[in-house]
Amino acid sequence: MVLHSKEFENENPNYSRCLGYYDKLPEYLHKMPVQKIMEHINRNGERSRYLQGRTILTYFIWLHKTYGINMAAKNFELQQAIGKDKVYLGFFSLEELKQTIKVCLLKAEDENNPTQPDYSGLIAIFYLEWYGVLPESAITIKLTDVADDGREVFIPSENRTIAIDDGEVADYFAEYKQKTGFQRYKNSDELTPYAQSTFYRNTARRCDTITVKTIYNIRQKFITVCEDKRFAKKRIYWSGRYAEMFKAEMKMDSEFSTYNSESVKIIGNIFNDEEITYDKIASLLREYAVFKKDYIERL
């Protein structure tokens, strides 16, 4: 159960929905041992876990300020428990993503290894994810689908064109499009030619078809080297979409709402979903609230 749940819901609509699950439990949330709270928090996926942790911490602070219930010790203990199993939501800006990629590439240069892994295509995948294109769609992009200046990319599987508004990313796409191979061996000037005509290419000797698994394998290798979980799964994609939501919300000069037709249209465009449902928007707004809060705190 959640003590004073209705009042908390009225004052914190972005967080309240996450407490519905806990309100159905037989024990009061604020009286549960931290270990038990963590078991409930960890019952679902990573983005849900992050949001639930944030919500419960916010609720405990509210409970203390509003009703004088001393939650300081439990709040601290819960923060410590969440911190030990910290899951990074992702990047808060494209600039942060670009700078982190550069640092990771330097870290990946192993002087004791005569061969070098080719992360060129993976970096392009990262940038495409930021702009809202997941690997399932990115692998369908042909070289001819990318403008010579890198400013536009056609996505065949989605039948749409995305505009690249960042000059550095556009330049990267333009340069990567022109690459014909990769210098696999450090001590050789010879390029191993790329084997495919898709935008993401590698030097597979048998001209292997690029699949989502291809992306997954090179991504895992990159994460192992750079030790940064923000590159895992769909975190770059979600980061980019939430950042785009923040930018659009600032232009709209009012907060997004499921009841606002303009909000629904904008969010549908950001996620390339013209038939986006009320439930999906409500879920996105709850997760976006976490991103926005953390983003604003970093300014």
Side-chain angles (χ1 to χ4, degrees):
M1 296 180 287
V2 178
L3 185 65
H4 303 302
S5 61
K6 292 298 181 184
E7 188 177 347
F8 178 77
E9 180 176 350
N10 290 336
E11 294 184 26
N12 302 271
N14 287 328
Y15 286 108
S16 61
R17 293 177 184 271
C18 289
L19 295 182
Y21 165 83
Y22 298 92
D23 209 18
K24 298 174 184 177
L25 299 176
E27 184 179 359
Y28 274 115
L29 175 60
H30 70 287
K31 292 185 177 181
M32 282 185 194
V34 168
Q35 183 177 355
K36 192 170 183 179
I37 294 174
M38 288 302 298
E39 288 176 1
H40 287 294
I41 287 175
N42 289 324
R43 74 188 187 279
N44 289 325
E46 291 175 355
R47 285 191 303 128
S48 172
R49 179 169 61 217
Y50 184 91
L51 181 60
Q52 287 180 71
R54 272 305 218 167
T55 301
I56 293 173
L57 288 170
T58 301
Y59 168 67
F60 284 170
I61 292 171
W62 175 86
L63 208 55
H64 173 73
K65 289 182 177 179
T66 308
Y67 289 98
I69 300 174
N70 190 352
M71 300 300 300
K74 182 165 286 186
N75 218 31
F76 177 76
E77 189 181 347
L78 182 59
Q79 283 180 319
Q80 295 295 103
I82 292 173
K84 289 178 181 177
D85 189 30
K86 185 174 182 181
V87 176
Y88 295 98
L89 181 65
F91 299 93
F92 288 93
S93 69
L94 178 55
E95 193 61 35
E96 183 182 8
L97 171 62
K98 291 190 293 186
Q99 292 303 318
T100 308
I101 287 173
K102 291 174 184 176
V103 171
C104 287
L105 287 175
L106 288 173
K107 193 173 182 180
E109 292 181 1
D110 185 352
E111 294 181 1
N112 298 318
N113 191 342
T115 63
Q116 292 279 65
D118 183 7
Y119 292 125
S120 304
L122 182 64
I123 305 309
I125 291 292
F126 288 159
Y127 289 145
L128 285 168
E129 286 180 335
W130 180 269
Y131 278 91
V133 183
L134 288 167
E136 293 87 340
S137 296
I139 60 176
T140 68
I141 301 171
K142 303 288 186 183
L143 284 173
T144 52
D145 293 325
V146 181
D148 289 341
D149 62 0
R151 289 284 178 176
E152 289 187 342
V153 181
F154 176 68
I155 319 299
S157 62
E158 300 177 3
N159 193 30
R160 67 182 178 116
T161 298
I162 60 170
I164 308 302
D165 56 3
D166 182 88
E168 190 175 344
V169 174
D171 289 344
Y172 185 86
F173 282 173
E175 292 170 11
Y176 178 58
K177 176 181 178 177
Q178 299 303 321
K179 286 188 68 173
T180 58
F182 178 71
Q183 188 179 338
R184 179 183 289 174
Y185 301 98
K186 284 184 180 179
N187 300 324
S188 172
D189 294 331
E190 183 181 352
L191 290 180
T192 303
Y194 287 134
Q196 302 87 7
S197 60
T198 46
F199 188 47
Y200 180 91
R201 292 151 286 156
N202 61 23
T203 54
R205 292 180 176 83
R206 295 173 302 189
C207 195
D208 294 341
T209 301
I210 300 299
T211 65
V212 173
K213 187 177 179 180
T214 309
I215 308 299
Y216 172 82
N217 289 339
I218 191 69
R219 185 195 298 268
Q220 293 308 112
K221 191 171 186 176
F222 184 84
I223 293 170
T224 299
V225 171
C226 72
E227 300 177 318
D228 193 329
K229 293 181 179 180
R230 290 177 294 176
F231 289 103
K233 299 182 179 180
K234 296 181 180 179
R235 291 185 187 132
I236 298 175
Y237 169 82
W238 288 112
S239 298
R241 296 304 82 203
Y242 293 144
E244 194 65 23
M245 285 177 69
F246 184 80
K247 187 192 302 182
E249 196 175 52
M250 294 302 99
K251 287 182 180 179
M252 195 170 69
D253 202 27
S254 63
E255 290 193 336
F256 284 132
S257 166
T258 53
Y259 304 105
N260 183 300
S261 59
E262 185 182 3
S263 295
V264 172
K265 183 178 180 180
I266 290 172
I267 294 171
N269 288 336
I270 289 172
F271 286 89
N272 189 38
D273 186 352
E274 295 179 356
E275 299 179 357
I276 194 166
T277 64
Y278 168 87
D279 288 342
K280 185 173 181 180
I281 290 178
S283 176
L284 286 170
L285 289 180
R286 291 195 296 272
E287 293 165 358
Y288 166 64
V290 176
F291 173 91
K292 183 166 71 170
K293 184 176 185 297
D294 284 358
Y295 178 82
I296 292 173
E297 287 176 356
R298 289 160 58 99
L299 293 178

